[in-house]
Structure formats: C-alpha cells, structure tokens
C-alpha cells in the first residue's frame, strides 16, 4: 500500500471519530478493534501526513475515548516536523483544550505536542500554568519546559511553590526558570517572600539556593524560622545563621538547640556550635549522645570543645554499650585528638570491638595520636597493635596504613608484611609505609625492585612509588639495568596510573643523570 493509500485509509478511519456520528451515541459500544484503528489512524496520519491533514486530526480531538484523544495529540505533535503554518494553527485550536483533559495521558501528549509545535498565545500559556499544579510530575515537567520555551514565567507564585517539589526534575526546572528571570522585580519579590515566609520544602530549598550575602537581609525571618514547624526549614535556617558571628544569633541558636527534637537539625546545630567552641552546648550534646543520628555530631562537638568535662563525657561513651556504634566511633576519634594521658590505653582495646565503626574510630584516634606525637613508652604498643590490625585485614587497609604513617617502631613488622602478607593490599600498604619512612635501607630498595614484578597491580604501583621517592630525595641517583628493564616493561602495563608512574620515574632517573652546567 502506497503513502497516498495509507493516508486515505487513515482519513477514513478518523471519520468515525466525529462525536456527532451515530457510532458514538453509546461510546461504550465501541469495539476494541474500532478503538485501536482510530488511535492507530491518528498516530499514522501524524507520521506520514501533510500539513492539510492537521485539520482532520483536530476534528477527532473530541473523541470520547481517551486513547484516541491522546493519539490525536501525538499525531499533531509529529506533524510539527513539517514546520508549516497550517499545523500550529490546527493544533492551537485543540491542544490547549486537551491539556485540560480529564485523562492524564491525554494531557501529557497534548502538552508535549504544544511544545513541539511551538504554540504561543495566552491560551497556551494559561494551559501550561494550570499544569504546574498537576498531580502527575511528568506534566509539571512539561509545563515548566513549555513556559521556558515560551520565554515567560507564567504564575511566579506557582513556580516558587514548585521549588519545594519532591521531584528533582521539577524543582530544578522551576529554579532554572526563576533564575532566568531573576532581574524581574516580580520574580525577585516572590523569591524573597518565599525565603521569609514560604512553607516547608519550598522555603527550605530557596534558603539553600540564595547567595550567602542575602542572609543579613533575611535575618529577622531567619531567627523566627528557628521555630518553624518544618524541620527542613529549621535545618536550612540554621545553616545560614551558623555563618554569622553575632552574639545575639549565637544565643538564638543555643536556645534553638535546647528545644530541638529533630536529630538532623540537632546534629547540624551541634556540629556548628561545637566548631565555634560554644561551651553552652556541653550538656545539650550529652543529651544527644544516645541518638543514632545525632550522636556522632554530639561526640564531635564535645571533641571540638576539648574541655575536661567534654572529654570525660567522651571517655564514658567509649565503654557504654548502650551508646550507638556510630557515636562510640566518633568519640574514639575525638579522644585520640584530645590526646589525654590515657588516650592510648583507652583506644587500643577498641581495635577488637565487635562494632566496625568503633574499630574505625579507634584506628583514626590512634592515628591522630601518632601524628601529634606519642610518648616514647606508647610508641611500641601502638605500632604492634596497628600492624597486627593491618595484617588481620579485618577493616579498611588504607585507614590503618594512614594511622601508621610516621611510626618508625612499626618498620620491622611492615617489612615482614611486605615480604609475606597474602593480601596484595596489605603488601602494597606496607611498601607505601616503608617508602614514607625517615630512613632507607638496601633491603627496602630491593623490596621495591622485587615488587615491580608482583602479580598484583597495587603492589607494583606502590613499588614504583617507593623507588620514585628515593630517586626524588637523591638516595638513588641511578638504577641498574635489570631494574630499568622491569620499569620499561611496567610502562606498558594495563593500569593507566602504573604506566604513568613508571614513565615519570624513568624520566626522573634520566634527568638526575644529566651533566650539570660546568661538568665535563
């Protein structure tokens, strides 16, 4: 069947779409086959039809069956590819009406077709504005895309409400459209009004997005916002107010923390006020230590305060099994950072705690003690415990590796791990720590050289990095032929980072051997 015959067939099928014909006296009597044929005809005419056929599609827009009306909208949208005046004219008569259809699928097809046909005018704009409140989020998206294509804001208040939409694709488009018209006084006024007195998620989102230099302008409404019924709003308000150094603002934040019941908001207030050294939060932080969400922030706040009372509360939390694991882990970190006389002995047993987050906190706490400088009688016990923890592969290898950095008492055990550990990560971590040590031995250099031929990429990479460090420090001005040959092979490795590191090392060795000015 040729194109003209197909078009004629589709037109014939669409004649049954006339709502005044006898076949529609009882739409429920329509056979499923008739329905499918009419819908297929509308779609097909849009696919192969010409501009003059847009009118036939428009006449079928009153079909009582939603599937046919949706097909009409789809067909009109497909005709948009022709770019002829007759198509938008026909679409403009029916698509705004279909955008108000009771069936969401019809509304969706009609709104897309209106965008494709680039329809303009007040009727189309109003139809898109009405869809801003549609329960179907796809239609809210189409409405925003349609207004954007028209270059208008439509209903500014509705746009501002959509900033609080739960769908990211909706509120993102709404904010983009408002930002596009940010110089419009009506838009600026509505955004500021929403920031001051909007409801729930919309106000919270606007407060997150507005530039920080708006905070002073909003100060009065922000202070009252600390008591807003919405936890989202209180969170957004607190984020802004924590940037201010005013004593009155600080007083308001402390009072807000005193009455706060939401753990997310309380955690934010604890973190911010603790960071600023606000000692009035000590008792309030203790109150939140048992909360699964805010407990971590409470422990961190006490750590930032660093007072004797605050550290004593952290010490108690370490051994209190009723305290959540996340809180105990954070407390372990802060006890290490505080560096009191018994910190090492409190943390070492926690390396065997059943809770993974507690063990991680103990490792980080011990790492903080290593970094700040252990007492000489603490160095060996810490080295032995951390290297044993590294060898156990129980937790994150690189966390333990970082904690050991700079602890020379661990070097003998690290050399054994570099030679004997079954885990490639443990061998790689051991080589990394040997390279970072203060002294280098011929045996360590040989370990790096052997590591170039290891089966595991991590070990080969750390071996190259170890050799590179000693070349950079002038310890290895040259490499023997066998090592150079291995490095040359590594420059063709499948690992990009390994190829790059080996190439840079060979270049560094060659540069170090170049004659200096004045040399023969």
């Amino acid at each position: 069947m040729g194109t003209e015959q197909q078009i004629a067939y589709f037109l014939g099928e669409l004649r049954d779409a006339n709502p005044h014909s006898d076949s529609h006296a009882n739409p429920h009597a329509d056979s499923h086959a008739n329905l499918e044929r009419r819908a297929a005809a509308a779609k097909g005419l849009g696919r192969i039809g010409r501009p003059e056929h847009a009118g036939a599609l428009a006449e079928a827009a009153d079909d009582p069956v939603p599937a046919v009306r949706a097909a009409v909208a789809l067909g009109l949208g497909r005709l948009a590819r022709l770019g002829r005046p007759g198509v938008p004219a026909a679409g403009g008569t029916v698509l705004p009406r279909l955008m108000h259809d009771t069936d969401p699928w019809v509304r969706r097809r009609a709104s897309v077709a209106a965008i494709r046909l680039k329809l303009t005018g007040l009727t189309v704009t109003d139809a898109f504005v009405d869809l801003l409140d549609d329960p179907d989020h796809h239609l809210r998206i189409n409405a925003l895309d349609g207004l954007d294509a028209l270059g208008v804001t439509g209903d500014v208040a509705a746009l501002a409400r959509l900033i609080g939409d739960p769908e990211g694709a909706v509120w993102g488009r709404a904010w983009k459209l408002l930002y596009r018209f940010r110089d419009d006084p009506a838009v600026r006024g509505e955004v500021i009004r929403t920031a001051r007195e909007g409801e729930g998620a919309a106000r919270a989102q606007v407060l997150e997005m507005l530039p920080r230099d708006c905070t002073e302008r909003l100060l009065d409404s922000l202070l009252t916002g600390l008591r807003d019924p919405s936890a989202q709003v209180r969170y957004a308000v607190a984020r802004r107010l924590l940037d201010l150094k005013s004593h009155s603002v600080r007083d308001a934040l402390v009072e807000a923390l005193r009455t706060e019941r939401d753990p997310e908001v309380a955690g934010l207030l604890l973190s911010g006020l603790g960071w600023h050294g606000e000692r009035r939060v000590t008792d309030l932080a203790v109150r939140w230590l048992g909360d699964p969400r805010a407990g971590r922030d409470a422990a961190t706040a006490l750590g930032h305060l660093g007072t004797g009372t605050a550290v004593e509360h952290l010490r108690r939390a370490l051994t209190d099994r009723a305290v959540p694991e996340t809180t105990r882990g954070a407390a372990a970190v802060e006890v290490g950072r505080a560096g009191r006389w018994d910190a090492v002995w409190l943390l070492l047993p926690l390396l065997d705690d059943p809770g993974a987050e507690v063990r991680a906190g103990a490792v980080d706490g011990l790492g903080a003690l290593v970094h700040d400088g252990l007492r000489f009688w603490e160095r060996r016990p810490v080295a032995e415990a951390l290297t044993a923890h590294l060898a156990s592969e129980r937790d994150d290898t690189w966390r333990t590796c970082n904690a050991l950095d700079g602890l020379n008492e661990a070097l003998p055990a690290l050399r054994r791990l570099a030679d004997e550990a079954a885990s490639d990560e443990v061998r790689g971590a051991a080589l990394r720590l040997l390279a970072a040590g203060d002294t280098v031995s011929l045996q360590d250099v040989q370990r790096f050289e052997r590591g170039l031929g290891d089966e595991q990429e991590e070990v080969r990479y750390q071996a190259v990095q170890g050799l590179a460090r000693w070349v950079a420090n002038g310890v290895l001005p040259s490499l023997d032929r066998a090592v150079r040959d291995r490095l040359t092979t590594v420059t063709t490795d499948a690992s990009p980072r390994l190829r790059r590191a080996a190439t840079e090392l060979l270049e560094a060795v060659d540069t170090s051997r170049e004659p200096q000015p004045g040399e023969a």
Side-chain angles (χ1 to χ4, degrees):
M1 184 183 293
T3 300
E4 292 302 322
Q5 289 89 346
Q6 291 184 62
I7 290 175
Y9 173 76
F10 292 149
L11 289 171
E13 291 296 323
L14 280 179
R15 291 191 189 99
D16 289 339
N18 186 340
H20 303 293
S21 67
D22 293 338
S23 65
H24 290 293
N26 181 8
H28 297 290
D30 255 354
S31 71
H32 184 68
N34 286 339
L35 161 63
E36 287 191 340
R37 286 202 304 272
R38 294 204 307 277
K43 295 175 185 177
L45 198 59
R47 186 174 63 255
I48 66 173
R50 295 186 295 273
E52 59 265 28
H53 300 131
L57 283 171
E59 289 177 3
D62 290 325
D63 194 287
V65 180
V68 178
R69 298 197 300 275
V72 166
L74 177 63
L76 286 169
R78 285 175 171 174
L79 286 178
R81 74 191 188 285
L82 300 175
R84 302 286 183 82
V87 181
T93 62
V94 298
L95 288 176
R97 186 170 76 251
L98 292 179
M99 289 166 69
H100 290 96
D101 199 276
T102 56
D103 186 90
W105 192 249
V106 176
R107 297 198 300 274
R108 192 185 300 186
R109 291 292 198 194
S111 57
V112 171
I115 295 171
R116 288 180 177 173
L117 288 169
K118 300 179 181 179
L119 298 184
T120 59
L122 183 60
T123 304
V124 176
T125 300
D126 289 344
F128 280 128
V129 168
D130 289 341
L131 290 179
L132 291 174
D133 293 319
D134 198 281
D136 184 340
H137 78 275
H138 294 97
L139 280 157
R140 299 196 296 276
I141 291 172
N142 291 349
L144 290 163
D145 287 344
L147 292 172
D148 189 47
L150 287 168
V152 298
T153 57
D155 185 340
V156 178
L159 282 180
R161 287 197 301 274
L162 287 183
I163 298 299
D165 197 279
E167 295 288 340
V170 175
W171 69 255
R173 282 172 166 81
W175 181 257
K176 177 184 175 184
L177 194 55
L178 288 170
Y179 186 79
R180 176 181 173 183
F181 293 96
R182 61 191 179 279
D183 294 330
D184 184 330
V187 170
R188 288 203 309 269
E190 185 59 33
V191 169
I192 294 299
R193 188 204 68 77
T194 303
R196 282 178 171 155
E197 55 191 70
E199 295 184 2
R203 184 183 184 190
Q205 198 71 263
V206 168
L207 287 172
E208 291 287 350
M209 292 177 168
L210 280 177
R212 289 292 159 183
D213 56 13
C214 293
T215 300
E216 292 287 350
R217 179 180 176 185
L218 300 170
L219 184 56
D220 289 345
S221 63
L222 292 174
L223 291 172
T224 58
L226 288 171
R227 300 185 298 276
D228 194 274
S230 166
Q232 281 183 280
V233 172
R234 298 198 303 276
Y235 189 93
V237 164
R239 273 175 59 89
R240 283 190 168 268
L241 291 176
L242 283 167
D243 290 338
L244 302 181
K245 297 180 179 180
S246 163
H247 291 298
S248 60
V249 170
R250 189 68 52 78
D251 292 343
L253 289 169
V254 172
E255 186 57 34
L257 177 58
R258 202 178 304 281
T259 58
E260 185 57 59
R261 294 294 177 266
D262 183 85
E264 293 285 342
V265 182
L268 174 65
L269 289 167
L270 287 164
S271 295
L273 292 170
W275 177 261
H276 289 301
E278 177 53 69
R279 296 191 176 190
R280 285 179 290 176
V281 306
T282 301
D283 292 339
L284 302 176
V286 172
R287 190 184 80 189
W288 283 99
L289 283 174
D291 186 87
R293 166 59 190 85
R296 180 193 298 271
D297 295 315
T300 302
L302 291 172
H304 284 315
L305 296 178
T307 63
T309 301
V311 174
E312 184 58 35
H313 285 299
L314 290 171
R315 288 154 51 95
R316 291 175 186 168
L318 283 180
T319 56
D320 187 349
R321 298 289 177 153
V323 172
E325 182 181 319
T326 54
T327 303
R328 294 178 64 219
V333 175
E334 298 306 328
V335 165
R337 288 175 179 166
R340 299 301 172 95
W341 67 271
D342 58 348
V344 165
W345 318 113
L346 287 170
L347 296 177
L348 285 178
L350 297 182
L351 293 176
D352 295 319
D353 194 274
E357 293 200 52
V358 177
R359 296 194 302 272
V363 170
D364 289 346
L366 290 168
L369 288 164
V370 171
H371 179 269
D372 293 337
L374 293 167
R375 301 169 182 85
F376 75 90
W377 61 83
E378 297 171 333
R379 296 181 68 85
R380 187 168 300 281
V382 171
E384 291 175 352
L386 285 177
T387 51
H389 195 70
L390 178 67
S392 73
E393 302 179 57
R394 190 177 185 185
D395 294 307
D396 181 13
T397 296
W398 300 106
R399 182 189 296 272
T400 309
C401 176
N402 291 336
L404 280 162
D405 192 11
L407 191 55
N408 288 339
E409 284 77 2
L411 294 177
L414 291 172
R415 291 182 175 113
R416 289 194 298 273
L417 291 175
D419 295 338
E420 303 169 4
S423 165
D424 58 302
E425 275 201 349
V426 173
R427 295 201 307 279
L431 287 176
R432 175 177 166 183
L433 289 164
L434 291 175
D438 296 332
T439 59
V440 65
S441 68
L442 177 61
Q443 290 77 18
D444 289 339
V445 173
Q446 292 172 342
R447 285 185 176 89
F448 299 137
E449 293 172 352
R450 287 196 302 271
L452 296 175
D454 197 278
E455 293 181 358
Q456 301 298 326
E457 187 269 355
E458 182 63 49
V459 178
R460 298 197 300 278
Y461 179 74
Q462 295 301 337
V464 172
Q465 294 290 81
L467 290 172
R469 183 175 189 275
W470 297 120
V471 167
N473 290 347
V475 177
L476 296 176
S478 63
L479 299 173
D480 64 38
R481 174 55 57 185
V483 175
R484 289 181 64 89
D485 289 345
R486 289 182 197 169
L487 275 173
T488 302
T489 301
V490 172
T491 59
T492 63
D493 196 277
S495 166
R497 68 168 185 168
L498 190 49
R499 293 198 304 270
R500 183 170 57 252
T503 301
E504 291 173 354
L505 175 54
L506 283 173
E507 291 174 352
V509 171
D510 291 340
T511 300
S512 69
R513 296 180 63 191
E514 292 179 358
Q516 300 299 311
E519 291 183 348

